[in-house]
Amino acid sequence: MLQVFDLEKTYGSPTRSTPVLRGISFSLEAGAFCAVLGPSGSGKSTLMNIVGLLDQPSAGAVRLDGAIVDYAAAEETARVRNGDLGFVFQAFNLLPRLSAWENVALPLLYARTARPDRKPLALAMLEQVGLADRAEHRPAELSGGEQQRVAVARALIRRPKLVLADEPTGSLDSVTAAEVMALLRDLHRRLGVTILMVTHDRDLAGRCDRRIEMLDGRIVHDSAFA
Amino acid sequence: MTAVCPGAASRLALGETVSEALANLYAQRQRSALALLGILIGTASIVAMLTIGHMAQRETLKLFRHLGVDMLQIHAMPAGNYPVGELDRHAIEHLTASDPDVIAAAPLTADHDTILAGERQAELGIAAVTPDLPRLMSLRVADGRFIAPIDDGNLVAVVGDQAARKLSAPGAPLTLGSAVRVKGYVFQVVGVLGPLPFTALDPTDVNNAVMIPLAGAGRVMDSAKPTTALIDLRPTADAKTAGARIVARLANPTAVLQVISARDLIRGLNAQKAIHSQLLTAVGAISLLVGGIGVMNVMLMGVMERRREIGLRAAIGATPRDIQLMFLIEAATLAFVGGVAGLAAGLIAALVTARASGWTFSLAPWVLPLGPGVAALVGVAFGLYPAIKASRLNPIEALRAD
Ligand SMILES: Nc1ncnc2c1ncn2[C@@H]1O[C@H](COP(=O)(O)OP(=O)(O)OP(=O)(O)O)[C@@H](O)[C@H]1O
Ligand SMILES: [Mg+2]
């Protein structure tokens, strides 16, 4: 499903370059729920951004669903992000002007889904995350946990193959974090979606099927090969 | 995966992008209002200019409706101690033969007097004319006939449409054969004219006048000699040289001759109009420029404030072109709204101008789409840079923005 080959990423000018990823390789089979752990600055977000086609690697390659990603093809990477990938951010990133269901429906706009079809799809997705009764609320009228559930619904509305969640519970208290984690587990089981999740929380990581630990731009431990 | 139809690959539904644009503009309405003002003034001055120009043209043509654009008028003003400036009737009537540029010429003299008909009396114009007048002033006889050569100096009269009404009493309408009295002389009505609205250039308001033969004018007027010559020039003639030649021929010690040429008047009016429209064009262009810069400013600030949104949209599948289009449509919508308001303001300004000048308001239909269209174009032109800037944002940095 996802294969990463010898990924390197270096920031900065040729004279003063900072290597952030120093040769990352791993693969993820379809339906996996994998946690990425590591201290701050170890390159977790950088890895997620490259796998999410938001950033380009300095060297190495990513194979998504059998095809090597061409990072230079902007239209194509946008299409893949829209259809095959889903993002959940630490900061939710909901658009404040839009209601919950409109936020959930936003990826459908770029999928050119006919307008009348969008609302029912978004409402069904909100139902899946347990927020059917909050469809018309604006983000400001929702709690942090509810906002993140809306964001999860938005990430899943296109039924992507891979969901990338960078510290999805990082802004939530431990109780709410556990609820969002439970939701992710539930959706993972029910929809069979593959999830790659960055977290600092060892407890939450322990509830994933697999854990990859990073340090200084390298993978130092992978529970799949323990 | 959902099938993507290839044709629509980078085209979002215009309608909803516009409605989203309107919501965004409303969200930042204070800033939008300033940009709108520039666009509004710009569009308004262009719309006003075009509409006023259009009306002025119609008014100018209306002015020459009776007399034609090849008309020349010569007015005799008293010179020195002479009580009236006079022209020589035969010299005028001979112009057709003696001057190669003259097609027709008619002498006349006009005055006011109290006219009586039966029980009625009215203060009306009285014009002493010759049979050539209808041809020169496009007069139409509604009933009877105009003054003819056989009338010579006889006591006959032709009455203008409005004058006839004023001289009619209920049950005693003024018709052919009725008598009208001027200074004790009784004239028999031989013709009534059709209605003819007065234009500023007409030597006399024939609608409100009683016309009598010039040969007999001495009975009721100060002089039996004409004071005005109406001349129709050949279209190819040069009005200036022909005017000078005719003045030389008609010159006499009693009068200072004044020449009015339709061509000169039109030239003067056009020059005046050109100054107005240049001024308005300059005001419009500068305002549109200011408005365009305002639009660019609003959009640039919007792009800065909405970096996170741009990053998010990129993450969920918006292409750079989608982002660019979104901001372009927002800029065009902003300017279009200003353009519509400017259209209304411009039309109101034109209406006020028409009222003040006594013109009939008339709208050139092509102005309606043109005003807001130009405004939207300005919006697109000035929105291009912010839109490109937005589409080039790095999504990761944009998502990290606060
Ligand atoms: N645009 C950039 N330019 C230069 N250096 C960068 C850039 N982005 C990230 N870095 C550096 O790369 C390193 C890894 O960053 P990254 O965000 O991937 O870490 P992380 O593992 O996600 O950390 P955290 O747990 O704090 O989120 C950091 O040292 C960071 O300073
Ligand atoms: Mg990070």
Side-chain angles (χ1 to χ4, degrees), chain A residues 11-12 20 38-47 166-167 200, chain B residues 397 400:
Chain A
Y11 281 115
V20 176
S40 187
S42 54
K44 306 182 295 293
S45 294
T46 307
L47 174 64
D166 193 344
E167 301 191 46
H200 283 284
Chain B
E397 280 167 30
R400 256 202 306 258

Side-chain angles (χ1 to χ4, degrees), chain A residues 160-214:
Chain A
K161 296 176 180 133
L162 175 64
V163 169
L164 298 165
D166 193 344
E167 301 191 46
T169 59
S171 315
L172 305 172
D173 63 70
S174 57
V175 176
T176 320
E179 281 170 19
V180 168
M181 182 64 195
L183 173 72
L184 284 174
R185 282 247 57 146
D186 178 46
L187 291 170
H188 167 250
R189 190 167 38 77
R190 278 196 287 136
L191 305 178
V193 63
T194 313
I195 302 181
L196 190 61
M197 178 181 84
V198 172
T199 182
H200 283 284
D201 189 323
R202 296 240 153 225
D203 277 357
L204 296 185
R207 282 192 250 164
C208 298
D209 307 333
R210 178 178 168 188
R211 281 160 297 284
I212 292 174
E213 280 190 50
M214 289 181 65

Side-chain angles (χ1 to χ4, degrees), chain B residues 67-375:
Chain B
L67 300 162
V69 292
D70 298 314
M71 176 276 303
L72 207 65
Q73 288 184 27
I74 297 185
H75 291 275
M77 307 294 181
N81 295 328
Y82 292 95
V84 249
E86 293 174 340
L87 295 173
D88 179 36
R89 171 179 180 171
H90 296 289
I92 294 169
E93 289 183 323
H94 192 59
L95 280 174
T96 326
S98 67
D99 196 298
D101 283 340
V102 176
I103 297 177
L108 73 118
T109 180
D111 203 348
H112 284 268
D113 220 320
T114 309
I115 318 258
L116 298 104
E119 304 287 290
R120 306 282 290 186
Q121 96 174 43
E123 203 54 42
L124 291 171
I126 176 153
V129 303
T130 62
D132 287 326
L133 191 71
R135 176 178 175 189
L136 277 142
M137 281 189 75
S138 324
L139 301 183
R140 196 178 54 78
V141 177
D143 207 2
R145 61 173 177 86
F146 199 73
I147 287 156
I150 50 150
D151 293 321
D152 191 26
N154 292 346
L155 289 166
V156 295
V158 173
V159 186
D161 176 66
Q162 196 59 37
R165 279 171 220 275
K166 286 179 183 167
L167 293 174
S168 295
L174 186 92
T175 52
L176 300 185
S178 300
V180 292
R181 291 163 67 89
V182 188
K183 285 211 172 83
Y185 288 90
V186 177
F187 291 81
Q188 192 197 5
V189 174
V190 296
V192 177
L193 294 182
L196 185 82
F198 178 67
T199 75
L201 278 180
D202 293 353
T204 181
D205 179 5
V206 290
N207 222 10
N208 277 296
V210 171
M211 277 141 281
I212 57 168
L214 182 62
R219 301 186 182 105
V220 294
M221 293 172 127
D222 297 340
S223 156
K225 295 211 156 193
T227 55
T228 301
L230 269 185
I231 295 157
D232 191 20
L233 293 178
R234 222 167 277 286
T236 50
D238 178 69
K240 269 212 163 31
T241 52
R245 211 164 49 231
I246 293 164
V247 164
R249 193 156 302 186
L250 299 180
N252 68 75
T254 68
V256 177
L257 301 188
Q258 187 200 15
V259 183
I260 299 175
S261 138
R263 294 245 183 86
D264 283 349
L265 285 171
I266 292 174
R267 206 172 301 128
L269 288 171
N270 282 345
Q272 208 180 345
K273 208 180 89 188
I275 292 172
H276 280 158
S277 32
Q278 274 165 17
L279 201 75
L280 275 169
T281 309
V283 169
I286 291 170
S287 305
L288 279 180
L289 186 74
V290 170
I293 292 170
V295 167
M296 183 149 81
N297 223 1
V298 169
M299 296 315 295
L300 279 176
M301 283 199 265
V303 170
M304 282 314 282
E305 277 170 13
R306 287 159 63 198
R307 270 177 301 170
R308 241 169 200 285
E309 173 185 337
I310 295 164
L312 183 269
R313 285 179 187 269
I316 63 171
T319 63
R321 271 205 280 169
D322 289 334
I323 306 245
Q324 208 168 313
L325 197 67
M326 177 175 90
F327 281 96
L328 265 188
I329 289 175
E330 254 178 58
T333 306
L334 174 64
F336 185 81
V337 169
V340 170
L343 174 69
L347 290 181
I348 290 171
L351 188 70
V352 168
T353 309
R355 280 277 160 79
S357 325
W359 296 350
T360 34
F361 180 77
S362 109
L363 175 73
W366 45 267
V367 167
L368 292 179
L370 190 96
V374 165

